[in-house]
Amino acid sequence: MNFKLRVWRQENPKSEGRFANYEAPDIPSDASFLEMLDIVNEGLILKGDSPIAFDHDCREGICGMCSLVINGTPHGPEKATTTCQLYMRHFRDGQTIHIEPFRAKAFPVIRDLVVNRAAFDRIQQAGGFITARAGSAPDGNAVPIAKPAADLAMDAAACIGCGACVAACPNSSAMLFVGAKVSHLGLLPQGQPERMRRVLNMVKTMDNEGFGNCTNHYECEAVCPAEISVAFIARMNRDYAIASVRESVE
Amino acid sequence: MNNGLDSKIPGGPLEKKWSKHKFDSKLINPANRRKYEIVIVGSGLAGGAAAATLGELGYRVKCFCYQDSPRRAHSIAAQGGINAAKNYQNDGDSVFRLFYDTIKGGDFRSREANVYRLAEVSANIIDQCVAQGVPFAREYGGLLANRSFGGAQVSRTFYARGQTGQQLLLGVYAALSKQIAAGNVRMHPRTEMLDLVLVDGHAKGIVTRDMVTGEIASHAGDAVLLATGGYGNVFYLSTNAKGCNVTATYRAHKKGAYFANPCFTQIHPTCIPVTGEYQSKLTLMSESLRNDGRVWAPKAKGDKRPPAQIPEEERDYYLERKYPSFGNLAPRDISSRAAKEACDDGRGVGPGGLGVYLDFADAIKRLSEPVIRERYGNLFDMYHKITSEDAYKTPMRIYPAVHYTMGGLWVDYNLMSNVPGLHVLGEANFSDHGANRLGASALMQGLADGYFVIPATIGNYLATQTGKRPPPDHAEFKKAEEDVLARIKKLLNINGKRTVDSFHRELGLLMWDKCGMARNDAGLKEALNRIKEIREEFWVNVKAPGANEELNQALEKAGRVADFLEFGELMCLDALDRKESCGGHFREEHQTPDGEALRDDENFAYVSAWERTDGTPVQHKEPLVFENVHLAQRSYK
Ligand SMILES: Cc1cc2nc3c(=O)[nH]c(=O)nc-3n(C[C@H](O)[C@H](O)[C@H](O)COP(=O)(O)OP(=O)(O)OC[C@H]3O[C@@H](n4cnc5c(N)ncnc54)[C@H](O)[C@@H]3O)c2cc1C
Ligand code: FES
């Protein structure tokens, strides 16, 4: 297959970016999107041009390192699929493909298609944990957890932390990411003691990092490769409301 | 006979060794812990758990990873599960049985005391993870669920859908995040370790490159922990993440750390077959699928009919036929070789005849499609994404692929290498899996090392080191920084005609052919010559564009491939030395009449630990002593 690429190139965080055009000829339809970029990069290197920088690692849809906005959609056109799991057979032969970085104030571009998502780490540090000192844990079966609750916690915990939700949101909101973590931990009995502090601190950090508010567009859910449900945002909002009331009373 | 390798295995009966050792180990009192700076490279299950736990104990920790966040370490990709001797199923499991299965699964090439300790702490790991909120699968009654993995006849594997590694790592990451917020751990993502620094013969820090700015920096510590994962990417194609490398451990090897059993690599039987030359990685289909899937190949050579048209009596369910008591759950090395045998025999399926079927038709008939979907839905989806085939309707095609490396830096019972102060954890060390790792045991080992072993043993070293941490501008650091920079400049200045990937692919194919699923004397010798040639060409003809002072992914790769090009040689040398077959190491000259691995306990019951010299590497042997298990030919029949 043959493709035309329009790719965002930006040397460093301070420089101005621009789109550049490349040809991607003779791409096997079984190649993944990133393998297509590998092939283009091999050509660029041999020509003495600088290869296109993009983030990736596991290439099996789980580490959350790959990103890219492909033809306007984070992670491209396939539902519930990361860029690394997207295959060229889903594109038309001869098609022009636009490739941009995830864009959000809180995710500054580092180079080309690589962005800085450290804000997510800082939100996690603000409260995304259950305190459990190694060595002091009770037996794993000491507290039975009903299967539906455990399953729902797992649905929320499946978030891969890629940031596509932020990139898709017109307000660059991180509510789906934060909602998933708050829900995962808040649904489990172990997560109760820190539940209120957790939601307050994580939401506060999210706001400070420059993520926008949720105005119910649900673009986040539509692009999420892990199919995290927006119901977790509602759950977080409930927890947040309760926690704020309690905080003001105390 | 052991050439100065002291494994420091405590005396006394097997079941008492770990408790006794913990009691005998030196403690650092809480007020003094903050005086120690510990450098940890790696944020996977092993490194991340160690960083979180040591931080919580009050040590000052610096932790490094090459990804943009510690949450993305390659442990995240583990699918199937984690073993623990909980015996929640009341099916006869025990610490001793997990110990025995692991020793036997490793084909009697691991240390009894280490493996026993692993089995012993396995139960605490599950408790720890549950307490952190890891959402393990549960039964309707609310208790933890289990499944079976290869090489075991009990159900002791805990899992979180098909994403067990992800959930365990997110547990680690959460604990680590808490310690980062508390200021006990300073995290350095997108930072690659490029050298180990020794001061007076002790590991006292590392030199790193900031992958965004190119800054070369020194980090001094009282001890260094490497938890940098495995070196499977020496084969180019593997199930490992693209960034997995041997660089950290190999540079430590160059500074004096012995590399143990480098030829012990694991080829996983159930991966999606290779489709083309452009391919950048291989994808695993979890071993858990073999709980319900049946492996088969056509009985007739060259049978090109679609699977549905091959009648039952013309199918060879070869694992069930050859290993009736373990059937489809035969261990990985054995299942992989059996698949290769079927394909070598001309009975392989799919493009190039390099594949066999993993068939769920019977399980779907027995349990229904929704049940199978609930158990393996995400794996079937992944298979569909990659191959565009529906495994609910037609069998999966699978083929073995490189997956895990049992070899690694040599460590003693304290997880310290022969270089004082340098500790090695997780897949990066050699210690627990012998010549073949059983499924669901790597996650167990990583967390055991990080949460429970190193916090108890590191005091033995630190207690002798009060006040000996050098400043980061010590001459040894300066020298190491200069060497690192000189090497980077050299790579950038070659400006040849071939890309880094093209060298990596060439090396990988060679290693797969000559040092992969089957090895022989002539092939290994040929590989040794070829690797030298490829390496020589690399250093005059590679093209790594750009500069150091920028985000430069080609440069990162070039550094790693340069190390693989040296390390591959060590693997072949080790494989050549080991004139026996054991576990994943199959020497064609040494097999039983029915094609099974033929061990030679008389001559090869040792750990082979290689010391680097200017000339040929020097081999040190640590004899393996078995006091609690009877050495037997491994049989899964
Ligand atoms: C696809 C797949 C599925 C698997 N499934 C299972 C399973 O079901 N059960 C099981 O028990 N095991 C499984 N395994 C094996 C298991 O996942 C790994 O062996 C284990 O997670 C390794 O953990 P680790 O902490 O040692 O290393 P890793 O998780 O690989 O972490 C390595 C860390 O070191 C860092 N690092 C590496 N090099 C450098 C450097 N030079 N500088 C700075 N940082 C560096 C990385 O950034 C990373 O943080 C699977 C493996 C794969 C590939
Ligand atoms: S590279 Fe890991 S999710 Fe895409």
Side-chain angles (χ1 to χ4, degrees), chain A residues 35 60 89 121 139-140 190, chain B residues 88 127 130 173 280-281 385:
Chain A
E35 284 164 350
E60 46 187 75
R89 54 175 169 269
D121 289 317
D139 184 83
Q190 308 89 299
Chain B
Y88 281 159
D127 301 341
V130 169
Y173 168 66
S280 59
K281 77 155 281 168
K385 269 180 199 149

Side-chain angles (χ1 to χ4, degrees), chain B residues 114-131:
Chain B
N114 284 58
V115 175
Y116 193 87
R117 172 174 69 188
L118 178 63
E120 209 177 333
V121 302
S122 66
N124 303 351
I125 295 173
I126 299 306
D127 301 341
Q128 175 64 20
C129 296
V130 169

Side-chain angles (χ1 to χ4, degrees), chain A residues 187-217:
Chain A
L187 276 159
L188 296 169
Q190 308 89 299
Q192 298 313 309
E194 289 159 307
R195 182 167 166 188
M196 294 297 136
R197 263 183 39 184
R198 176 182 310 121
V199 68
L200 287 175
N201 290 339
M202 290 181 80
V203 169
K204 194 165 113 205
T205 309
M206 172 180 83
D207 292 342
N208 291 344
E209 290 288 347
F211 292 102
N213 232 315
C214 169
T215 48
N216 305 327
H217 289 269

Side-chain angles (χ1 to χ4, degrees), chain B residues 483-548:
Chain B
D483 292 348
V484 163
L485 208 53
R487 189 168 187 268
I488 289 173
K489 291 269 145 68
K490 193 166 161 197
L491 282 168
L492 290 171
N493 287 337
I494 298 168
N495 202 14
K497 296 209 159 32
R498 282 182 64 184
T499 61
V500 177
D501 275 355
S502 84
F503 283 102
H504 196 176
R505 251 185 242 122
E506 187 180 358
L507 172 71
L509 268 179
L510 179 70
M511 295 302 289
W512 176 248
D513 278 353
K514 307 295 179 199
C515 199
M517 263 192 284
R519 300 142 179 204
N520 63 50
D521 186 86
L524 288 165
K525 285 181 176 149
E526 188 191 326
L528 282 168
N529 288 329
R530 275 298 297 144
I531 296 171
K532 273 198 197 78
E533 290 165 12
I534 302 173
R535 189 171 64 229
E536 276 159 22
E537 190 193 337
F538 176 90
W539 282 104
V540 293
N541 198 23
V542 77
K543 191 169 177 95
N548 175 49

Side-chain angles (χ1 to χ4, degrees), chain A residues 62-96:
Chain A
I62 192 76
C63 75
M65 184 104 177
C66 65
S67 53
L68 311 189
V69 175
I70 301 166
N71 287 339
T73 308
H75 291 306
E78 285 290 293
K79 203 178 143 34
T81 302
T82 54
T83 294
C84 61
Q85 291 283 81
L86 178 64
Y87 284 79
M88 295 318 290
R89 54 175 169 269
H90 297 298
F91 293 84
R92 262 180 303 110
D93 194 17
Q95 191 177 347
T96 299

